[in-house]
Amino acid sequence: MAQQAHAQQAGPVDATPNDQQIQDIVVTGSRIVRDGYTAPTPVTVAPTADLAKATPTNIADGLNKLPQFSLSSGPARSTHNFASSAANGNLLNLRGVGPERTLIMFDSVRMPPTTFRGVVDVNIIPNLLVERVDIVTAGASAAYGSDAVSGVVNFVLNKKFTGISGVAQGGVDQRGDNGNEKFGLAYGSDFAGGRGHILLSGEYYNSRGMLRSDRKQSLGNYLYAGQNRAALLAGNPAGSAANPLVLYSNTTINNSTSGGLINGPANFSFNNFRFLPNGQATPFNAGTLIGTAGYSVGGDGYVITPQSTAVAPLTTYQTFGRLSYDVADDVNVYVQGVFTRSDIKYSSLANAFAPPNSATIFSGNPYLPANVQAAMTAQNIPSISVAVNLTEMGPLPAEERTDFYMGQAGVEGKLGNFDWTLGYVHSKSIFTLAQQTFDLKKAYAALDAVRNPANGQITCRVLLDPAVASQYQGCQPLNIIGSAGPNATRAGYDYANGASRYRAETTQDQLQGSIQGSLFDLPAGPVDIAIGAEWRRQKLHLTSNSDPATLAGATAAQTAALRSAYFAGLRGVGSTALYYNLTNTGIANGRVTVKEAFAEINVPVLKDIPFIQALDVSAAGRVTDYSTSGRVETWKVGGTWKPVDDLLFRITRSRDIRAPALYDLFAGDSSAIGTLNDPVSGVTSNVPQITGGNPNLTPEKADTFTFGGVLTPGFLRGFSISVDYYKLKINDAIGTLSLGQIVNNCRLDANAPECALVTRPSPTAFPTSVRISPANIAILQTKGIDVDASYRTALGNGNLSLRAYVNYLDSFKTQQSATAVVLENAGRGSNANQPIARPKWRGTFNVNYENAGWGVFVSEQYIGKFKLGFPAATGQNQVFADPDVNAVWYTDLTISKKIEAYGGYIELFGTVNNLFDKKPPLIPGTIPGLNLPTIISVYDQVGRAFTAGARFKF
């Protein structure tokens, strides 16, 4: 039935003509409801049954194969190097403009954020009782409120479900990874003579994920780097025309080693020596230097461990209940509730002391080899700097948990020609993270090992200082010299490790009421309106055991005093050291209250005259008042023209907004580690990046234009096609310049405001920190064409259904600020800091044949070709010697058998995803081993995978 509505509302789906069904279905796109009406806003309807055939894991994974979604995050689509992003859940991204600009709704109710960054992890939505997903692929802020810039994804509940249904399935990929299982049970029933209805569901899903090392492609240490070393030395950076990027394997990073590299002081005779596994020093072999500074082929440099996570293990628990009752013939009251838990676990990068925060080893450290100690004594060297990556100790575990609660109560009814509703929603999401990494206070204490003069035993130096010894009880010495050292001093390694933790609690209260219906009739039909008001309050409370602000005072002297007290008695503490080595998260506290009023109208202008079977115009407006930034208006105007029965044209123009997330506004300062290829010092290394909120942010403003048509030819029953052009421009976009952008902008203009964000010990030294914060500075514009076509017909004794979704991305332009260069990103891709690609063509093609209970479903996913290298704001675009990435096809196959039994059915099914085991294109990054050597947000990294199970309904 949803498919039938889509044929009228938004374009084609698998359908057989049935006018009664068309009239019984209402799909998302407007607050106004009319039987069989056609709206100007394009809407794609995705039945969950079809999504499950293509991708049986969960609804979100199925949606992400549709071309309307681009660069969504997920357990298999996220990098897991660091644990500060909160972007490892299923975050849907319409049009590729960011999940924060996609409004997520559950049965037309706005979902609250589930992460502190203001986005919704749709893993929290119960799957079993969702009958379809409506995807509004255009701005809808006037109808549904803030954040609907790129559109709306509405998970539509089957409120009238009766009976018992369920699923039991299991899966694994061809190489024995990514084992998963899913179990669910749903129940629905009428009671009190049909006046009441109850719905219950419970679901469990578990996937065990995989490591990077589980795929050979991740073990080659591939890298895109400069081709010409001589050109680099002559001043031509990697990626320039004289020094294009080429593919290398067996690459290393030569500013550190797994056993430790002595990188200072410069006058020390053992400088640039490395430590062997047994702790002895030997000259460092940099390998074959290449056309990118800091990297080599072969040699003694280090390789980022491939034992980190490629696909994060995910476990979800979903429960849902709803009770409704007709207290009168035209009045229904209801209550419903949701509780879900989503657990994601992954392994991030290994512990390290890397430049510029190398470890300081003092003279007298008993782990120093005798010849190195003798040289230090002879040359009066008090300490040496050692860069070490403790890859032999393995990656660091991180755990994320999201607990989500939502309670809803309301009353709805009918009064004459009008339907009305009033409802209240209270929801809470609790996001917690724990990241294992060095507790720097303990790590510095453990590193500074000496011999106890009383007994000759190796101990922590601070334990011999009565003034501070009590602060370091339990300290065990840690040896980082030689790859065998950390294991030999495992007690010291364990003492030095801790858990950086934060907890973000977001609560939201919503009160909303609306009324819609027909005001009066015109010759062409009824004039319909919808009016309503909403109030909501959202609060964020984020606590952390690693808030960097608690080590920073109002003045430099106060900061020095705070740091001195915290690191009391320690030597060798880095100037930018915080609580933990990798993840330091600032606290955040804030709230916003939003008051809104909206109205919509649809006016039939003409009907049943030559070349105008129907002509309607519509308009919507919304006034929104934010307690943080004041009043803003959104609107939409549109129309539909049906010149003949078989053809519909539609057009819309809208103004939409996206309000800043509470974390954007109120976040305290946080520190995380970023990797910077510094064009000033020529050094490539990790650098602390400080992020914080900006309370002066205002809502983004977006303008959307769509124009298209729907063809349903009467001479070809069962066929329909929609073609829609869209153009979206976002002004005053909330943007955050990347680490590299900030540094590059300052390099190009010494007076640029970005220079205040970069801290360097000297003008040509590698930065000790870079500050990053959001601002209303960016501009984004995208345009393209969506095609949605379907055909259904009888074939033999069965039914054949065909459906195609296609997206052509004509343009995707970004601008860092109003005065910056406009960058065209369509048809480009890169695996640098973030793995992203925007091919111009994408499509999904489904074929479904059913006969005598048997079903065969084949889905083809097409990812078009593109060129490597996004344009740069500097105008110095990256040049690849071979930039072309060819198109890729993926095939999914499901075979099922439906057996009638006990008044219902049992459906046995088997699914093979990536049937032909298509390998992802080899696209490494420009930092060895930082990311998987492909673009994980676009391509399948798992390979052929199998799922088998049973669905039932009685």
Side-chain angles (χ1 to χ4, degrees):
M1 294 166 68
Q3 294 170 340
Q4 285 302 311
H6 179 63
Q8 291 292 317
Q9 168 75 10
V13 294
D14 300 339
T16 52
N18 187 321
D19 294 339
Q20 184 59 47
Q21 289 182 341
I22 293 172
Q23 294 176 357
D24 288 341
I25 294 299
V26 174
V27 296
T28 310
S30 169
R31 297 275 183 176
I32 295 175
V33 176
R34 295 179 65 199
D35 290 342
Y37 89 106
T38 55
T41 304
V43 181
T44 296
V45 175
T48 54
D50 284 357
L51 294 173
K53 288 175 182 176
T55 312
T57 49
N58 55 54
I59 291 175
D61 289 345
L63 289 173
N64 276 320
K65 292 183 177 179
L66 301 180
Q68 293 91 334
F69 294 94
S70 176
L71 307 180
S72 298
S73 296
R77 294 170 175 261
S78 304
T79 59
H80 303 99
N81 299 321
F82 307 108
S84 56
S85 64
N88 297 295
N90 267 309
L91 311 179
L92 298 175
N93 189 352
L94 267 174
R95 302 289 185 217
V97 299
E100 67 276 9
R101 299 184 179 100
T102 302
L103 178 60
I104 306 297
M105 306 182 77
F106 180 50
D107 211 42
S108 298
V109 173
R110 170 189 292 268
M111 297 296 287
T114 60
T115 79
F116 65 90
R117 297 191 180 276
V119 295
V120 178
D121 176 5
V122 296
N123 285 329
I124 57 100
I125 294 178
N127 282 200
L128 270 184
L129 290 171
V130 174
E131 67 175 340
R132 71 179 196 271
V133 182
D134 292 349
I135 307 157
V136 182
T137 52
S141 293
Y144 290 104
S146 175
D147 305 335
V149 171
S150 59
V152 176
V153 181
N154 184 22
F155 294 78
V156 180
L157 183 69
N158 185 357
K159 297 178 183 177
K160 297 300 183 182
F161 173 78
T162 58
I164 298 175
S165 69
V167 62
Q169 66 184 57
V172 69
D173 69 40
Q174 180 171 295
R175 293 158 185 85
D177 313 308
N178 288 285
N180 62 85
E181 50 272 339
K182 179 179 180 180
F183 303 98
L185 191 66
Y187 171 76
S189 179
D190 291 332
F191 64 90
R195 299 184 71 88
H197 196 79
I198 186 171
L199 293 173
L200 299 169
S201 72
E203 300 165 67
Y204 168 81
Y205 174 73
N206 181 61
S207 173
R208 287 175 283 284
M210 75 178 194
L211 301 176
R212 294 185 183 184
S213 56
D214 292 330
R215 293 296 179 270
K216 291 181 180 179
Q217 198 176 62
S218 299
L219 303 177
N221 299 327
Y222 295 103
L223 173 70
Y224 269 119
Q227 183 180 39
N228 192 322
R229 178 72 180 175
L232 174 70
L233 297 177
N236 298 288
S240 61
N243 189 15
L245 296 174
V246 296
L247 183 67
Y248 291 91
S249 62
N250 190 31
T251 58
T252 58
I253 304 172
N254 55 35
N255 69 350
S256 182
T257 70
S258 61
L261 171 65
I262 301 174
N263 60 7
N267 62 340
F268 181 43
S269 58
F270 279 90
N271 189 43
N272 208 36
F273 275 58
R274 72 180 178 95
F275 292 107
L276 296 169
N278 61 7
Q280 295 303 305
T282 189
F284 176 74
N285 173 19
T288 302
L289 298 177
I290 55 180
T292 297
Y295 305 142
S296 305
V297 173
D300 297 332
Y302 83 96
V303 174
I304 293 176
T305 174
Q307 302 297 318
S308 56
T309 295
V311 178
L314 167 68
T315 304
T316 60
Y317 308 86
Q318 301 171 334
T319 60
F320 172 79
R322 175 184 169 90
L323 184 68
S324 62
Y325 188 78
D326 294 332
V327 296
D329 288 345
D330 292 326
V331 180
N332 179 268
V333 296
Y334 65 91
V335 293
Q336 67 183 46
V338 174
F339 169 73
T340 65
R341 168 170 289 178
S342 174
D343 286 328
I344 297 177
K345 300 179 181 180
Y346 50 95
S347 298
S348 59
L349 301 183
N351 268 322
F353 288 102
N357 297 309
S358 300
T360 301
I361 303 298
F362 291 91
S363 180
N365 188 304
Y367 297 120
L368 284 167
N371 58 343
V372 175
Q373 177 61 70
M376 292 177 71
T377 302
Q379 297 174 54
N380 195 28
I381 301 293
S383 66
I384 59 175
S385 181
V386 176
V388 62
N389 278 265
L390 302 175
T391 54
E392 68 276 3
M393 306 305 292
L396 298 170
E399 298 183 5
E400 297 180 7
R401 168 169 288 181
T402 302
D403 283 340
F404 174 73
Y405 310 80
M406 184 171 76
Q408 183 177 353
V411 57
E412 53 193 14
K414 190 173 183 64
L415 183 62
N417 291 329
F418 290 87
D419 295 318
W420 57 270
T421 181
L422 180 66
Y424 168 74
V425 183
H426 173 76
S427 55
K428 176 190 293 186
S429 67
I430 301 172
F431 179 88
T432 58
L433 178 137
Q435 160 81 75
Q436 292 293 319
T437 185
F438 275 146
D439 179 327
L440 288 179
K441 180 175 182 177
K442 293 182 175 182
Y444 285 125
L447 278 173
D448 195 2
V450 298
R451 289 197 180 274
N452 188 334
N455 56 23
Q457 299 296 312
I458 300 176
T459 187
C460 303
R461 187 189 62 84
V462 288
L463 295 180
L464 303 179
D465 183 352
V468 297
S470 61
Q471 298 184 39
Y472 301 97
Q473 290 299 314
C475 180
Q476 297 289 324
L478 170 62
N479 179 19
I480 61 167
I481 295 174
S483 57
N487 263 317
T489 56
R490 183 75 202 205
Y493 181 83
D494 291 340
Y495 170 80
N497 265 306
S500 177
R501 301 176 185 273
Y502 60 85
R503 180 182 187 274
E505 180 177 306
T506 304
T507 58
Q508 184 168 283
D509 291 277
Q510 303 176 68
L511 183 64
Q512 53 194 15
S514 65
I515 183 169
Q516 71 85 25
S518 299
L519 277 178
F520 52 82
D521 288 340
L522 293 176
V527 175
D528 289 337
I529 65 164
I531 58 173
E534 299 182 22
W535 173 92
R536 65 179 179 273
R537 180 178 59 203
Q538 191 179 104
K539 295 187 292 184
L540 172 66
H541 179 56
L542 191 153
T543 57
S544 167
N545 70 348
S546 58
D547 181 8
T550 56
L551 290 178
T555 65
Q558 291 173 343
T559 298
L562 288 169
R563 293 174 60 82
S564 177
Y566 182 73
F567 294 110
L570 298 179
R571 300 186 297 179
V573 178
S575 61
T576 58
L578 298 170
Y579 292 102
Y580 293 92
N581 192 37
L582 288 180
T583 303
N584 292 277
T585 304
I587 65 171
N589 287 285
R591 69 171 63 192
V592 62
T593 301
V594 186
K595 294 175 284 186
E596 301 183 272
F598 65 87
E600 285 190 65
I601 187 169
N602 186 87
V603 180
V605 180
L606 296 171
K607 183 180 181 182
D608 295 334
I609 63 176
F611 301 108
I612 303 180
Q613 293 292 342
L615 178 65
D616 291 4
V617 295
S618 61
R622 180 179 289 254
V623 178
T624 305
D625 182 74
Y626 293 95
S627 60
T628 51
S629 57
R631 174 174 164 170
V632 64
E633 293 84 24
T634 54
W635 50 265
K636 180 178 71 172
V637 294
T640 60
W641 170 40
K642 198 171 186 180
V644 293
D645 284 340
D646 298 346
L647 182 62
L648 169 77
F649 293 103
R650 55 191 175 195
I651 188 170
T652 63
R653 175 77 165 79
S654 67
R655 164 61 59 88
D656 303 286
I657 60 169
R658 176 232 161 185
L662 289 178
Y663 193 77
D664 293 333
L665 295 165
F666 303 114
D669 282 352
S670 299
S671 175
I673 298 296
T675 302
L676 174 66
N677 190 339
D678 182 25
V680 175
S681 65
V683 173
T684 298
S685 188
N686 292 336
V687 63
Q689 52 186 29
I690 311 301
T691 60
N694 180 356
N696 298 316
L697 292 173
T698 59
E700 301 176 340
K701 297 179 177 65
D703 293 308
T704 302
F705 172 76
T706 68
F707 174 74
V710 182
L711 175 66
T712 53
F715 62 84
L716 185 60
R717 299 289 287 174
F719 174 79
S720 55
I721 183 171
S722 69
V723 180
D724 289 283
Y725 167 84
Y726 64 88
K727 181 178 180 181
L728 166 64
K729 184 177 182 181
I730 304 172
N731 294 301
D732 298 326
I734 299 170
T736 303
L737 298 181
S738 71
L739 196 62
Q741 289 171 331
I742 291 171
V743 172
N744 271 317
N745 288 357
C746 180
R747 179 179 68 90
L748 295 171
D749 180 1
N751 296 316
E754 288 85 356
C755 292
L757 306 176
V758 183
T759 302
R760 297 181 186 271
S762 68
T764 58
F766 189 83
T768 54
S769 68
V770 178
R771 182 172 184 83
I772 299 172
S773 61
N776 291 100
I777 56 172
I779 299 171
L780 186 154
Q781 178 177 295
T782 182
K783 58 183 178 179
I785 296 173
D786 285 328
V787 180
D788 193 345
S790 73
Y791 179 60
R792 178 164 181 153
T793 186
L795 181 64
N797 294 323
N799 293 311
L800 174 67
S801 301
L802 309 175
R803 184 167 186 181
Y805 310 86
V806 178
N807 172 257
Y808 172 71
L809 180 63
D810 180 58
S811 176
F812 195 101
K813 294 179 179 179
T814 59
Q815 205 173 356
Q816 292 180 1
S817 66
T819 59
V821 177
V822 177
L823 306 177
E824 178 57 81
N825 297 279
R828 314 292 298 189
S830 173
N831 193 6
N833 289 329
Q834 291 292 328
I836 292 174
R838 302 186 187 276
K840 288 203 167 188
W841 287 99
R842 295 180 67 221
T844 301
F845 310 93
N846 298 335
V847 179
N848 187 41
Y849 182 70
E850 297 177 348
N851 189 356
W854 287 95
V856 178
F857 181 90
V858 179
S859 179
E860 292 285 337
Q861 185 184 7
Y862 174 78
I863 299 167
K865 63 183 180 180
F866 60 88
K867 291 186 179 296
L868 289 173
F870 284 113
T874 61
Q876 299 175 350
N877 299 344
Q878 282 187 327
V879 177
F880 286 76
D882 182 11
D884 295 322
V885 178
N886 292 327
V888 171
W889 289 86
Y890 291 112
T891 304
D892 300 327
L893 170 67
T894 293
I895 298 176
S896 61
K897 172 62 176 175
K898 186 176 290 187
I899 304 169
E900 295 184 3
Y902 306 106
Y905 66 84
I906 299 172
E907 183 181 33
L908 306 176
F909 69 91
T911 298
V912 185
N913 291 116
N914 195 348
L915 178 67
F916 299 108
D917 199 30
K918 180 69 176 179
K919 306 293 190 299
L922 180 61
I923 308 173
T926 53
I927 300 173
L930 182 65
N931 294 327
L932 279 159
T934 194
I935 299 180
I936 59 175
S937 59
V938 175
Y939 299 111
D940 172 44
Q941 56 184 301
V942 173
R944 185 183 292 122
F946 308 92
T947 305
R951 304 182 185 99
F952 58 87
K953 164 74 168 65
F954 303 117

